């Protein structure tokens, strides 16, 4: 009978693999690679994610990586924008392609129009346009509509995004810079040498091998985890068949509150599990951080009683912080202030102890010093919770 893992064991394993127990001592790009990217809907988000995971992280380290093209922003897992390495920008879109293809058929806003088109022709036309010159979304849609005038430009641009590996080119994503979302293909942006070295996913054997490596990388960053967790993180279905080809360690996981039975979770052979009692320091997470979104069952990192605090009508996942390894509140800071006083506001779900409050202040002070480096003064405010109904 496989060993039973408690939620505390799963929590500490996740934190260790996410570099949230101990910061990584090495280049930030190594963490981007090991975590199979960082969520990056907002341009500032991966900077926070890396600051919490990399010892001595500075914003210019990531900004420089955008300019030298060792990282880029692209829609991959769950069709959401991630910061990924150059190699993953050439690999992950192909692995995630079934998700995009399905979405183009069933998307509530664009699916009906796109089902009337030869999407391959739209893809070819869009590729020619964005490789000739990086294009903003509206311009790309308008140019495509010259050829398909009966289809909304927004739907045509959506088809391009769902069929091409479109990266967002700088200065978008560069700390301290601004710019419209401007697209070209990963092939054009990263160049023929890197593109030629990417795996050929049209070869069934290569595709199968890369799917297996995809699972192993997920477990290295998020495991132990279930097949449902893997599918929730990636957005893909049918991953059980890939998992069953692999030699993995199988555990039973402590049932979630209200669940009637244990779950099977999988891990890499030889992977170590930290002591569940090891100290977990305060850590600040960006909005949509994959440490929160990387599992179907998220009870290892947030309790059922606290999940309503993160609910919003439009699905926005706020920036959060961890106390003892679990989500314990939210935080925010103005990101458009260049001078004056900038305040990072911490909102715990429950009143922290005096020691926890001190640790929160210290970690928050380090974060606001990075996020508001040019401000005249920086402050941290920890708000006393009012215990109001989170709904």
């Amino acid at each position: 009978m496989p060993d039973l893992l408690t939620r505390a064991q799963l929590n500490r394993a996740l934190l260790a693999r996410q570099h949230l127990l101990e910061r990584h001592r090495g280049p930030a790009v190594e963490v981007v690679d090991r975590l199979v990217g960082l969520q990056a809907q907002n341009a500032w988000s991966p900077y926070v994610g890396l600051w919490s995971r990399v010892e001595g992280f500075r914003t210019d380290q990531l900004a420089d990586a955008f300019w030298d093209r060792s990282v880029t922003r692209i829609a991959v897992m769950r069709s959401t924008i991630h910061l990924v390495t150059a190699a993953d920008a050439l690999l992950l879109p192909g692995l995630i392609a079934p998700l995009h293809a399905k979405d183009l058929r069933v998307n509530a806003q664009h699916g009906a129009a796109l089902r009337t088109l030869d999407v391959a022709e739209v893809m070819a036309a869009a590729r020619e346009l964005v490789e000739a010159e990086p294009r903003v979304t509206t311009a790309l849609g308008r140019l495509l509509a010259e050829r398909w005038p009966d289809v909304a430009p927004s739907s045509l641009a959506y088809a391009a995004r769902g069929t091409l590996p479109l990266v967002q080119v700088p200065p978008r994503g560069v700390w301290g810079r601004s710019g419209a979302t401007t697209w070209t293909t990963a092939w054009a942006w990263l160049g023929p040498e890197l593109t030629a070295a990417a795996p050929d996913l049209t070869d069934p054997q290569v595709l199968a091998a890369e799917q297996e490596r995809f699972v192993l990388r997920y477990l290295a960053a998020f495991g132990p985890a279930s097949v449902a967790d893997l599918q929730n993180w990636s957005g893909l279905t049918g991953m059980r068949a890939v998992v069953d080809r692999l030699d993995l360690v199988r555990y039973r996981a402590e049932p979630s509150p209200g669940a009637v039975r244990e779950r099977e979770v999988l891990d890499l052979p030889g992977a170590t599990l930290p002591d569940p009692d090891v100290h977990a320091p305060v850590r600040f997470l960006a909005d949509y951080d994959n440490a929160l979104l990387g599992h179907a069952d998220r009870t290892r990192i947030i309790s059922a009683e606290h999940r309503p605090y993160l609910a919003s009508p439009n699905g926005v996942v706020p920036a959060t912080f961890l106390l003892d390894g679990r989500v314990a509140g939210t935080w925010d800071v103005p990101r458009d202030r260049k001078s004056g006083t900038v305040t990072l506001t911490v909102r715990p779900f429950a009143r922290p102890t005096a020691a926890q409050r001190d640790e929160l202040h210290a970690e928050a002070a380090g974060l606001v010093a990075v996020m508001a480096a040019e401000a005249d003064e920086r402050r941290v405010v920890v708000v006393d919770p009012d215990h109001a109904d989170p709904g």
Side-chain angles (χ1 to χ4, degrees):
M1 181 68 68
D3 292 333
L4 176 69
L5 298 181
T6 66
R7 280 191 295 279
Q9 287 174 303
L10 292 171
N11 173 266
R12 292 310 193 255
L14 173 65
L15 298 181
R17 298 179 194 195
Q18 288 283 314
H19 301 285
L20 293 169
L21 274 186
E22 183 177 347
R23 285 180 164 98
H24 174 67
R25 293 178 174 84
V29 174
E30 291 181 353
V31 171
V32 178
D33 177 61
R34 290 179 188 178
L35 300 188
V36 203
L38 282 84
Q39 199 82 20
Q41 272 98 322
N42 289 308
W44 60 271
S45 303
Y47 290 88
V48 175
L50 290 171
W51 180 84
S52 289
R53 291 171 167 93
V54 178
E55 189 72 36
F57 175 76
R58 305 185 316 275
T59 56
D60 65 320
Q61 292 173 306
L62 181 53
D64 291 346
F66 275 113
W67 289 118
D68 69 23
R69 309 191 188 196
S70 55
V71 301
T72 191
R73 299 171 76 224
I74 189 170
V76 280
M77 284 73 70
R78 304 183 302 281
S79 291
T80 55
I81 297 295
H82 280 65
L83 171 78
V84 301
T85 63
D88 275 343
L90 293 165
L91 169 67
L92 295 176
L95 294 176
I96 301 296
L99 172 63
H100 292 304
K102 178 181 178 181
D103 178 64
L104 291 180
R105 295 192 303 272
V106 304
N107 184 271
Q109 182 177 356
H110 305 291
L114 296 180
R115 287 193 295 271
T116 68
L117 298 175
D118 184 332
V119 174
E121 288 187 9
V122 178
M123 177 183 72
R127 178 176 182 177
E128 184 177 347
L129 287 168
V130 298
E131 290 189 346
E133 175 187 335
R135 312 277 182 175
V136 299
T137 305
T138 52
L140 175 60
R142 185 176 64 252
L143 290 168
L144 290 170
E146 293 177 1
R147 180 166 173 182
W148 290 277
D150 296 331
V151 179
S154 59
S155 294
L156 294 167
Y158 194 83
R161 185 178 181 269
T163 53
L164 290 169
L166 294 180
V167 301
Q168 297 184 6
V169 304
R172 184 72 174 175
V174 175
W175 188 265
R177 300 287 299 274
S178 62
T181 302
T182 307
W183 307 94
T184 189
T185 65
W187 308 309
W189 183 247
L190 299 172
E193 185 174 347
L194 276 179
T195 299
D200 178 9
L201 299 184
T202 63
D203 183 324
Q205 290 185 325
V206 173
L207 175 60
E210 289 300 330
Q211 289 172 329
E212 292 170 8
R213 192 168 76 91
F214 185 61
V215 172
L216 298 177
R217 292 180 69 193
Y218 168 74
L219 292 175
F222 294 90
S226 68
V227 174
D229 293 329
L230 166 66
Q231 294 187 157
N232 182 82
W233 166 77
S234 65
L236 295 170
T237 58
M239 296 302 290
R240 168 64 71 179
V242 181
V243 166
D244 286 345
R245 299 199 299 261
L246 296 166
D247 179 20
L248 299 172
V249 178
R250 298 173 186 270
Y251 296 103
R252 293 174 296 133
E254 177 184 0
S256 303
V260 297
R261 59 183 178 182
E262 301 158 350
R263 297 173 295 117
E264 178 187 68
V265 291
L266 310 163
D267 205 5
L268 304 174
T272 58
L273 299 175
D275 184 332
D277 295 323
V278 68
H279 173 67
V282 169
R283 290 290 185 257
F284 283 80
L285 303 180
D287 55 344
Y288 303 99
D289 195 290
N290 272 335
L292 296 185
L293 303 182
H295 301 86
D297 184 330
R298 300 170 187 172
T299 55
R300 71 184 67 197
I301 195 167
I302 184 168
S303 67
E305 66 179 300
H306 287 157
R307 282 195 70 167
Y309 287 90
L310 304 187
S312 67
N314 56 4
V316 172
V317 179
T320 59
F321 66 87
L322 308 180
L323 284 181
D324 193 27
R326 299 175 66 78
V327 175
T330 63
W331 65 274
D332 61 76
V333 63
R335 282 170 288 278
D336 57 354
R337 296 285 298 277
K338 297 297 185 182
S339 60
T341 299
V342 175
T343 301
L344 189 153
T345 304
V346 181
R347 296 183 173 85
F349 298 147
R351 186 167 283 108
T353 66
Q356 288 174 332
R357 182 178 288 269
D358 289 344
E359 192 177 358
L360 270 171
H361 265 283
E363 189 75 358
L367 178 56
V368 73
V370 171
M371 297 196 70
E374 298 179 13
D376 297 329
E377 183 181 356
R378 295 173 290 274
R379 298 192 309 144
V380 172
V381 172
V382 180
V383 177
D384 285 332
D386 58 13
H387 304 290
D389 179 359

